[in-house]
Structures are given as C-alpha cells and as structure tokens.
Amino acid sequence: MNSSPRQKSRLTGNIVWNYFSGIASIVGLLLLYPFAIAISGAEAYGLWVLAFGAIQLFTLSDFGLGTGIVRLLAVIKDPLERRRFVTLATTIFLSLGVLLLAIFSVAFPAYLNTVSINAQVAKLLPLLVPLTGFTLFVSIAGRAYNAVLWAEDRPDIERKSSLAGLILRAAGYAVSFWAGWGAVGVILSEAISLMIPAVVCAIAVFRRYSWPVFHRGSFSIHGLPLLKMSGVLFIGSFALLAGSQFPLYVVGTTLGLTAATAFGGLMRLYQSCRLLLSWIANPFIHPIMTSTKEGLLALYKRCAGLVWSLGLLLAIPVFILSKDIIDIWLGRSSEFAQGALAMLGIGILADAVIQPASQLVNLRRNPWLISLANMGVLLLSIPLILWASSSGDITLTTLATVVVPFVACPLYLIWAWQTVGLRWTKELTVNAALLIAALALLVLVLLLFRAIPIPILGLALAGLSELAVAAVGYLFIRRRMGAQLATG
C-alpha cells in the first residue's frame, strides 16, 4: 500500500517538528544548565539532579505501556472500542503513577541517606521529595496521553508543548534570579516545565475522545493483551534506561553532590541526544505499523538514514570539542568531566544504530528479542560500572556505561535486517560485524583528531571522516541489502 499525499505530508511535518523542537530543547538545556547551577549552587542543584534522574527513568521507560498502546490502538477501528481502550489504558497508567509515587516516597529518601548532604541543602528535602513525587505521577500519566497521540499520528503535539515548557523554564529561572528564590525557584520551574507536556497531551486526547467510557469487558478484551505486551517491552526499555541512570546514583554516593551535578549535566546532555534521536524515529511508528511487508525496507532505510546521520552529527563535536564544551558550559571547575563527555560520543553512535532497529523489531516482529538484548546489555554493564566507579574516575565510569551497547550493535542490526525480509546468513552476520568495525574505526579516528591542538581543524577533519564513513556505509548497505532481497 503506497502512502497518500496527506500521510507523506504528515510524516514530513512530524519529522520537521521533531528536528526543530529536539534541537531547541538540547540547545536550551545546554544554555540553562549553568544558570541553574549558578542560581541554586552546585550541591543544592545536585540534589535535584538525583531526583530528576528518577523521574526520567520511570517516565521514559513507562513500563512498556506506551509502545503497547500505540501497537494495539492502531488496529482498533470501531470508534466506541477506541474510546473504551483509551479509557482503560489511561486508567492503568494512573494506577501505575500512584504505585510509583508510593515507592518513590520511600526509596528516594532511603537513598539520600547514603549521600553526604550539608545542613543548608537538607532544608530543601521537605519540598523536594513531595514535589518530585507529584511531578513523577503527572509525567507518567502524560506518557499515556502521548502514546494515544502517537497512535493518532500526532507526536508533534507533545513536541510543541515541550518547547513551550522549555521557554517557561527559562522564564522561571529569570524570575528566581530576580526574586532571590535560589534553588527553590529553579526546582519549581523545572518541575512545572516537565508537567506542561502531560497537561497539553491530556487536553488533546480529551478533545478527541471526550469523557472516559468504562466497560466491564474492556479489561479482558484490551487490558490483558496490553499488560502482556507491555511486560515484554518494559523489560527492554527499563534495562536500557537503567544502564544510563545507574552511574549517576553511584557517583552521587561515592563522589558527592557537586560531582553528581557535573555528571548529571553530562547525563542530561546524553539523554537529550538520545531523545532527539528517538523524536526523529518516532514519526515512523505509524507508517511502520500500517505498512505492507514490501514497504518496510524503504521505511527502515529512511528512518535509519536520518537517525544515523543525526547521531554522527551529534557525536563529532562531543568527541572533538569536549574540553571547550565543558569550559564554556560548566566552567573550569568541572574540567574533570572532559574525558567523560568525550566517551558519551560512543554512546550516541551506538544509540543511533540501536534505536531504529529496536523500533522496527518491536513494532513488526518480536519485542522479546529487543527486551532480552537490552537486559543482557544492562547485566554486562553493571559490574563494569561498579568496577570503574571504584576507581573514582568519571571518564572510566562513563566508558563502562556506553561500551557494551556499542559492541552489541550488530545484534540489533541483524534482527532489523531480518524483519525487513533478509535471510539469516553468514554474509548477513559479516555485514553487521563490518559495520560495527567501521564505527569503531571512526571512534579511533575521532580520538586521534581530538589530540590536534587546533579544535576547529580537528572538527573539520572529523567532519570529512564522517562524510566518508557515511557514504561508504550507505553504498555498502544499499548494495548488500538490495542484492539479498533480489535473490531472496
């Protein structure tokens, strides 16, 4: 089935909005982070960084329910059944939010007992814990409404509201600085900005589906399949996110709040890059779900090409300009994090390969494959992270965080290529290994250019290397995949 002009226009519009809002969010966060530290103080803001990490972990993983909603709602055609499904799905999310709020209220204060907190910063705890819990609850609910909009092929609504939240956050910083509210004002500004997309998405869903429609048979018809599917998807998404958040809490315990602030900035940048990559991939959710088997290859090539290109574009400056970025962004007091920032480039490259492949396999094949792979990556990463953190070296800790996903890229690629119709052959495995070897070579070249004393020259040479690798990789994959499909 060929896409209609309206569908193509919607896909293009979604991609444009994801690019625009994603880049604006990353730039905004980069610019605002040092202001937040300056207004709050490094230790006080470090406390919020740890709280924000918990919100991010549970909201982004969403227990797999978000992707489950997209997959199941997309195939329901009857308007009344769609309303019943949306009612049930949002009710499950709200129940999950209540459960997570209760767990957080106990677990987070217990974790803070392992962190060294001075008396002045400890005064924030009566506000921080309940505010973070409430923000977590609202954000979890927002994931349900956002998933419904994804199934409606309207991810742009959440992107626009996120951009509005970022603008409000900047305004909150300015008011906090002018009024002398300090850390309290910054924390309130960030919490409110995080909740804005959830509220906007809830309103958008209400306008489409009106009031909830409860039905006694909905749980057996829709609820059980949703929970069954989401359990599989949750294992994978939570494992992937836990692998990137776990080092933050290790750093908070071993090195203190000031180090957690710097490391949290790196993780926020890393997660922003990962989110940007996902925002580029997300507009392809609806086309992939509704495409014929024959159309999957074209969709995957387009999605992967965009995500890989952006991943390279993000990773290159991180590699080459990490020293300058840290000096300008967080100041010379955070010079210890320069090497760690460079290591995040490896993680960005890995995620650019993994995200399109994971999305394709989750939507059109067996989500257990991705879930088990992500869990394996986490189980291998945890001992590496604990070993690296015992040295007190943040650079080594960051490398331990990203190296396992990087090495695992071929596995995700093989499954994606099979999903679009390629047969499992020795040649397919060799192709994936050659691609990851090319990425590894690119990393070594980037590290070499990083040593050039003139940063702009290193960046230019790295850019040329990026274009060469991208061109060779594109031609290689296009020829090999086309040949297999022609003979398969």
Side-chain angles (χ1 to χ4, degrees):
M1 183 193 323
N2 294 326
S3 299
S4 67
R6 182 178 179 181
Q7 288 175 320
K8 291 180 179 178
S9 175
R10 169 65 62 190
L11 177 59
T12 301
N14 288 338
I15 292 173
V16 170
W17 258 109
N18 278 307
Y19 264 113
F20 176 75
S21 61
I23 293 173
S25 296
I26 288 179
V27 172
L29 289 173
L30 282 172
L31 294 177
L32 291 177
Y33 200 82
F35 287 103
I37 297 173
I39 296 171
S40 304
E43 286 203 37
Y45 195 66
L47 198 61
W48 169 249
V49 167
L50 294 173
F52 175 79
I55 296 173
Q56 196 172 39
L57 176 62
F58 289 111
T59 302
L60 295 180
S61 65
D62 72 21
F63 285 72
L65 290 166
T67 305
I69 288 174
V70 174
R71 289 189 62 168
L72 295 178
L73 183 58
V75 299
I76 300 175
K77 304 302 180 184
D78 181 69
L80 179 59
E81 281 303 309
R82 289 176 69 87
R83 289 184 65 187
R84 289 172 176 172
F85 177 84
V86 170
T87 298
L88 178 68
T90 53
T91 301
I92 291 174
F93 257 101
L94 292 174
S95 303
L96 175 63
V98 172
L99 176 62
L100 289 177
L101 174 60
I103 294 174
F104 174 85
S105 300
V106 175
F108 189 64
Y111 166 76
L112 291 179
N113 290 331
T114 68
V115 180
S116 177
I117 305 175
N118 65 47
Q120 187 66 28
V121 174
K123 294 179 181 179
L124 293 171
L125 293 178
L127 167 69
L128 182 74
V129 175
L131 178 63
T132 304
F134 181 70
T135 305
L136 174 63
F137 173 79
V138 174
S139 299
I140 285 289
R143 289 289 288 182
Y145 301 114
N146 191 24
V148 172
L149 294 175
W150 283 352
E152 295 279 355
D153 201 20
R154 290 301 308 272
D156 60 300
I157 293 176
E158 192 269 341
R159 293 292 89 232
K160 295 172 184 176
S161 59
S162 294
L163 189 59
L166 181 65
I167 295 171
L168 182 63
R169 179 184 299 190
Y173 283 9
V175 173
S176 299
F177 176 76
W178 176 77
W181 292 343
V184 172
V186 170
I187 292 171
L188 284 172
S189 299
E190 293 207 15
I192 292 172
S193 70
L194 288 172
M195 290 186 279
I196 285 177
V199 174
V200 171
C201 289
I203 294 172
V205 170
F206 177 78
R207 293 180 63 181
R208 285 165 171 75
Y209 291 94
S210 189
W211 296 102
V213 177
F214 294 95
H215 185 263
R216 68 175 61 185
S218 291
F219 186 79
S220 60
I221 296 173
H222 302 302
L224 290 178
L226 176 61
L227 292 177
K228 181 179 179 181
M229 180 181 297
S230 65
V232 178
L233 297 171
F234 163 67
I235 292 174
S237 62
F238 185 82
L240 196 63
L241 286 163
S244 62
Q245 292 294 336
F246 179 69
L248 172 63
Y249 293 99
V250 173
V251 169
T253 298
T254 57
L255 300 180
L257 290 177
T258 300
T261 297
F263 191 74
L266 301 184
M267 289 296 103
R268 189 172 293 191
L269 172 62
Y270 181 41
Q271 292 294 350
S272 296
C273 291
R274 296 177 68 182
L275 278 174
L276 179 54
L277 296 175
S278 72
W279 295 338
I280 302 307
N282 284 344
F284 288 89
I285 289 177
H286 190 268
I288 288 174
M289 282 292 301
T290 57
S291 171
T292 61
K293 183 74 172 180
E294 293 75 18
L296 276 182
L297 175 59
L299 283 171
Y300 174 66
K301 286 170 64 176
R302 187 178 178 190
C303 178
L306 288 171
V307 175
W308 292 5
S309 299
L310 184 60
L312 286 167
L313 189 63
L314 292 170
I316 295 247
V318 166
F319 269 114
I320 306 300
L321 302 178
S322 62
K323 180 181 185 302
D324 302 87
I325 291 172
I326 290 294
D327 287 345
I328 295 172
W329 181 33
L330 299 180
R332 294 190 179 277
S333 61
S334 300
E335 286 184 345
F336 65 90
Q338 294 172 5
L341 177 58
M343 293 302 100
L344 289 183
I346 300 175
I348 294 171
L349 289 175
D351 209 57
V353 174
I354 289 173
Q355 280 208 32
S358 296
Q359 179 170 283
L360 177 69
V361 176
N362 277 332
L363 292 173
R364 291 297 295 259
R365 195 180 175 189
N366 186 354
W368 268 114
L369 294 175
I370 302 300
S371 294
L372 292 176
N374 291 348
M375 180 58 67
V377 167
L378 175 63
L379 293 177
L380 291 173
S381 296
I382 286 177
L384 279 178
I385 293 169
L386 291 174
W387 169 78
S389 63
S390 65
S391 68
D393 187 341
I394 286 186
T395 300
L396 191 60
T397 302
T398 307
L399 178 60
T401 303
V402 301
V403 68
V404 177
F406 185 83
V407 174
C409 282
L411 184 62
Y412 295 86
L413 281 173
I414 289 173
W415 286 335
W417 292 351
Q418 287 181 318
T419 303
V420 299
L422 299 180
R423 293 174 289 105
W424 185 294
T425 62
K426 181 180 179 180
E427 183 183 25
L428 184 61
T429 306
V430 171
N431 289 347
L434 287 174
L435 182 58
I436 198 63
L439 286 174
L441 179 61
L442 177 61
V443 170
L444 293 176
V445 171
L446 291 174
L447 290 174
L448 181 63
F449 289 149
R450 175 178 160 79
I452 294 177
I454 305 175
I456 192 66
L457 177 59
L459 186 61
L461 292 173
L464 292 175
S465 299
E466 170 192 350
L467 291 175
V469 171
V472 172
Y474 174 77
L475 293 174
F476 175 82
I477 293 172
R478 181 179 180 180
R479 181 171 63 85
R480 295 289 182 136
M481 293 178 77
Q484 272 214 14
L485 287 173
T487 59

